[in-house]
Amino acid sequence: MPARKAKAHAAGSTATRNQPDPSGDMDAFFPFARYTSIVGVHTSLLAFSTLLLPTTPTALLSKGLSALTAGDRPRRDVVDVLTENPARTVAWICGGTLILQGWWASWMKTWAQESRTQASGQGGGQSASAEATQRKLERKERGSQRVPELGKAAAMTLAASAAFHVIVVLFGAPLVRHLLHTYLMSLLLAILTVFPPAYTLGLPALGSDSPSIVSWFTWVRLFAELSPRTPIERALVYPAVGALMGCWAGAIPIGLDWERPWQAWPLTPVFGAVGGYIVGSLVALVTSATLAIAQVDRQAQQQAQSSTPTPTAKTKKS
């Protein structure tokens, strides 16, 4: 009996090691330069699509060609265009954000897969040709699974938008009035916070097998306990938290009696959500870079200490 238990425990530990972790071994692969450039481009385009995309001539076509031929487009203020029709403004922001988040989530998934590939290559001890063959097979498998994974992430995003809509209404948003405005804001929140982790990590599974359990507890650790451990996890969690906090803070000016056009529902929560997401992305970048530099410095100190010869004890004089 003890021998059977030992064999079962060894087999279970081997199976656990072979199961892929959704977050991967991210600490082994941190492309600082590429990550910094991608974050800069991503946040800049998010700001551009939020402030300028709804004011482009294509967006103004929804008013009709008469508005463009009348010559009011170049003379109008950006704030007037953004606040004239809040539903149209938020709809254009959702469209631009969806494209940018799709690109961002695709890059994040590539980063996670490269991290797992590098970690398995370091621990497997395979030859260069075997590693190249394995990478080709993994790349082919990723291409075949891309469309189903995008579909699952989109379905989870739509479900999350409905959940966000209910939560926003419970927090005091109009139940019947401005129904489209409220749902578009909920859809934007889902695109910002749910789509990237759903596509990068995969949907949380409810099965009893090891991959499902690992996936479920990864989601719980990240978005319930707010305990990211790797750069990729920070890049997913910090912007999501920032978007939610920015949306909540953006609702404060609506209650003030200033009667300004930009106080129309839901403009300030929408701009607050995008601004909070951008701030969260930058905070994740700075935090991961700081921890990576500290880890490199710690490893250098340990190597210096290990290479320094230890002094031998002096022999006592007789």
Side-chain angles (χ1 to χ4, degrees):
M1 288 296 292
R4 292 180 181 178
K5 289 183 179 180
K7 291 181 180 179
H9 180 71
S13 60
T14 305
T16 304
R17 286 195 301 268
N18 292 332
Q19 297 298 338
D21 189 350
S23 60
D25 189 8
M26 311 305 177
D27 289 332
F29 182 69
F30 181 53
F32 174 72
R34 188 167 44 151
Y35 177 41
T36 304
S37 61
I38 291 293
V39 169
V41 173
H42 181 226
T43 53
S44 301
L45 290 178
L46 269 180
F48 171 81
S49 65
T50 302
L51 297 176
L52 299 181
L53 184 60
T55 64
T56 55
T58 306
L60 293 177
L61 281 175
S62 57
K63 293 184 60 180
L65 294 176
S66 60
L68 296 179
T69 58
D72 60 342
R73 173 171 52 88
R75 301 190 187 101
R76 301 190 63 191
D77 189 10
V78 174
V79 178
D80 295 337
V81 179
L82 291 175
T83 58
E84 182 181 14
N85 191 337
R88 183 189 65 204
T89 299
V90 180
W92 277 100
I93 293 174
C94 287
T97 305
L98 178 61
I99 296 174
L100 292 175
Q101 291 299 92
W103 167 66
W104 169 253
S106 177
W107 185 81
M108 292 288 293
K109 189 174 185 65
T110 303
W111 181 10
Q113 290 170 343
E114 289 178 356
S115 301
R116 283 194 287 268
T117 301
Q118 184 176 8
S120 61
Q122 290 177 355
Q126 300 176 350
S127 61
S129 59
E131 290 182 4
T133 304
Q134 182 180 359
R135 290 180 181 178
K136 289 181 181 179
L137 294 175
E138 290 178 354
R139 196 178 299 112
K140 185 177 180 180
E141 185 179 359
R142 293 172 202 164
S144 61
Q145 295 179 353
R146 182 172 300 174
V147 175
E149 290 174 350
L150 278 174
K152 292 178 182 179
M156 185 173 180
T157 303
L158 291 176
S161 66
F164 278 134
H165 184 86
V166 174
I167 295 174
V168 170
V169 169
L170 292 178
F171 268 84
L175 179 60
V176 179
R177 283 185 59 199
H178 306 304
L179 184 65
L180 179 61
H181 302 63
T182 305
Y183 178 74
L184 287 175
M185 187 193 71
S186 304
L187 179 61
L188 178 65
L189 282 176
I191 293 172
L192 288 173
T193 61
V194 177
F195 184 79
Y199 184 66
T200 303
L201 304 177
L203 272 63
L206 300 177
S208 59
D209 54 335
S210 297
S212 301
I213 294 175
V214 171
S215 175
W216 172 257
F217 279 105
T218 299
W219 276 82
V220 170
R221 176 174 58 83
L222 293 181
F223 298 101
E225 301 176 358
L226 299 179
S227 178
R229 301 173 183 172
T230 63
I232 286 185
E233 292 178 351
R234 296 186 199 99
L236 294 173
V237 174
Y238 287 8
V241 175
L244 295 176
M245 293 180 63
C247 183
W248 176 79
I252 297 176
I254 295 181
L256 304 177
D257 56 351
W258 295 344
E259 298 182 358
R260 295 290 189 270
W262 52 265
Q263 290 179 286
W265 174 260
L267 291 180
T268 52
V270 165
F271 290 119
V274 176
Y277 186 93
I278 293 174
V279 172
S281 297
L282 298 178
V283 171
L285 171 62
V286 173
T287 303
S288 298
T290 303
L291 293 177
I293 293 173
Q295 183 178 2
V296 170
D297 183 68
R298 193 182 309 114
Q299 292 177 354
Q301 291 180 358
Q302 292 177 356
Q303 291 179 359
Q305 292 177 358
S306 60
S307 61
T308 302
T310 57
T312 57
K314 295 182 179 179
T315 57
K316 296 183 178 180
K317 294 182 179 180
S318 57

